[in-house]
Amino acid sequence: MNIVILGAGELGRQLAWTLCDKQNKVVVVDAAGSHLERLRERIDVMTIQGDCANVEVLRSAGIAKASLLIAVTGNDASNILACQLAKHYQVERTICRLSSAHFFSEEDGYPPATAGIDDIILPEEECVSRILAVLEHQSLVEKLSFSHAAAKMCAFRITAYSPLVNTRLRDFADKELLKKVRFCLLIREQKLIVPGGDTVFYSGDEVYVSGENKETNILLDMADPSQRPFSLIVVAGATRVGHKVITGLLETGKTVRVIEKDIDTARKLMDQLGKRVMVIHGDATEKDVLEDAGLDNCDAYISTLGDDEDNILSCVLAKKCGARKVICVTNKAEYMDIVPAMSAIDCGFSPRLVAVNAVLNLLSSDTARVHALLHRTHAYVYEFEVQRGASVCGRTIAECIPPGKGVLALVLRGEDLLPATGGTVLQAADKIAMIMQPQDVPRIEKLFGNRRFF
């Protein structure tokens, strides 16, 4: 597939790396030569320096022969205009990154398609949804939803006081719950472990489990009986992500305090929200400011500052000041490994990584699609659909899925959620969620159908 990516920032670079790995022909355009140089240092890809909304630049990038245009610059207007130009050159599909969905209105007869846009991705809004989701439980560090409304995958951290500590999986107390919830993956000291019956859980382990939302919530409560509701939450930074987080928290009835360094931004926030929030003017990387915000009595601290390093420092200080749960927002690829390894930071989220997930989710075949790139580790969640006449139809999972090539998480059959165990017999139209590495996808996908991925 011929793909043109507009924007070589953190998101554009990650997409180029991921899509080149799928052996597509990729061209990346950016106005900043430094961005393109960083990209070329990492992968062998064609780059063009220039205005991403310039017709001549797009023509030199091969827009007339492209099947897909992905516009992910930091400028909403440029992204929209580039998609309009792409449709003029008969590009089959366009994906546009925007900071807000308010550029268009279905109600007023002005949908994205009017501007030549097939799909919109909203990284900041999706990132905010992920942040709000982990506030449902103290131990929760990541939560994913699937096409089946009740199906969930959760990652939670085992605390020192959890009844799971020093317990083997086969000795799990609630045998009935164990039949309904799948222990998929365990992360211990940055190493991935596929849990088996003899696996012993230790304090600090991060465990991915899947099942129905009701059952996974029961497991979370069992694993951390000290859980109590979140009430007071402090947000550092009234950035675009921060503002969306604040709004989302207020809608759920939380008490919110905001730390903002810029006095004009602080005043604007107070004018917008009035008495609904307390705004503290100060630098969130200074301990005395955090203490003034009441971190010693804070249920959760969310740092959404504009600088990744400031976010990390602020979160470390917040934990030392007594915040129960600390959530950090970063964008740079370098911090994908660093943040999950830091004990002072409970959760880390990246709008860039969320955007990569959104694009990959859109680029699906009839047989498979990338559901998510996990925030806590370098692994993907794929959804495979069993095609009629595929070799796996009528066979058990144990008979047809090669060991060591992925971890089965869920089997979705219509409205039913089935256990992803070896004895489950697969049928046409079943959807199977698996955690696996990209290099193993082609071999596994052939089992479910013969169509080519990407």
Side-chain angles (χ1 to χ4, degrees), residues 112-243:
T114 307
I117 300 172
D118 294 308
D119 299 288
I120 288 177
I121 56 172
L122 302 166
E124 293 172 358
E125 293 188 10
E126 180 61 26
C127 185
V128 170
S129 296
R130 297 288 186 93
I131 291 171
L132 297 179
V134 297
L135 293 176
E136 295 175 5
H137 200 283
Q138 173 66 32
S139 300
L140 199 60
V141 293
E142 187 167 7
K143 186 173 184 178
L144 300 176
S145 300
F146 293 86
S147 53
H148 189 293
K152 296 290 182 287
M153 179 181 290
C154 301
F156 68 94
R157 183 177 292 112
I158 297 178
T159 66
Y161 305 103
S162 172
L164 292 179
V165 174
N166 297 325
T167 301
R168 292 188 307 171
L169 180 55
R170 70 169 71 255
D171 298 329
F172 189 78
D174 192 334
K175 301 300 183 184
E176 288 302 313
L177 183 60
L178 192 59
K179 294 177 183 178
K180 300 174 183 177
V181 176
R182 171 80 165 173
F183 283 77
C184 305
L185 200 65
L186 186 151
I187 304 174
R188 179 179 297 157
E189 298 178 351
Q190 298 301 294
K191 294 181 180 179
L192 300 183
I193 300 171
V194 179
D198 292 326
T199 299
V200 179
F201 297 110
Y202 298 107
S203 175
D205 286 351
E206 292 184 7
V207 184
Y208 277 90
V209 297
S210 59
E212 288 195 18
N213 191 48
K214 176 183 176 182
E215 310 299 343
T216 56
N217 286 339
I218 292 174
L219 176 60
L220 287 172
D221 290 338
M222 176 186 294
D224 185 8
S226 64
Q227 157 74 6
R228 69 175 188 268
F230 290 90
S231 179
L232 172 60
I233 298 176
V234 177
V235 178
T239 56
R240 289 194 315 214
V241 171
H243 199 285

Side-chain angles (χ1 to χ4, degrees), residues 283-310:
D283 189 341
T285 62
E286 296 179 2
K287 187 176 180 181
D288 58 338
V289 174
L290 296 178
E291 290 175 344
D292 288 343
L295 268 291
D296 58 337
N297 192 37
C298 168
D299 294 313
Y301 179 83
I302 307 169
S303 187
T304 67
L305 302 170
D307 183 86
D308 286 353
E309 288 80 6
D310 285 347

Side-chain angles (χ1 to χ4, degrees), residues 25-78:
K25 183 179 179 181
V26 177
V27 179
V28 181
V29 183
D30 198 287
S34 57
H35 287 174
L36 297 174
E37 184 177 352
R38 285 188 63 191
L39 177 63
R40 290 193 296 269
E41 289 174 356
R42 187 177 182 186
I43 58 174
D44 182 17
V45 65
M46 181 178 175
T47 61
I48 294 177
Q49 184 175 357
D51 185 349
C52 293
N54 183 288
V55 174
E56 293 299 324
V57 173
L58 292 178
R59 287 176 62 187
S60 64
I63 194 69
K65 297 181 180 179
S67 302
L68 172 66
L69 176 96
I70 307 176
V72 290
T73 74
N75 187 302
D76 290 335
S78 292

Side-chain angles (χ1 to χ4, degrees), residues 11 71-72 76 79-80 95-104 112 117 119-130 240-241 244 350-359 362:
L11 173 55
V72 290
D76 290 335
N79 290 340
I80 293 171
I95 299 175
C96 184
R97 170 194 181 178
L98 295 176
S99 59
S100 170
H102 296 153
F103 288 91
F104 303 98
I117 300 172
D119 299 288
I120 288 177
I121 56 172
L122 302 166
E124 293 172 358
E125 293 188 10
E126 180 61 26
C127 185
V128 170
S129 296
R130 297 288 186 93
R240 289 194 315 214
V241 171
K244 289 180 171 68
S350 165
R352 177 191 58 80
L353 185 56
V354 167
V356 171
N357 284 343
V359 172
L362 292 170

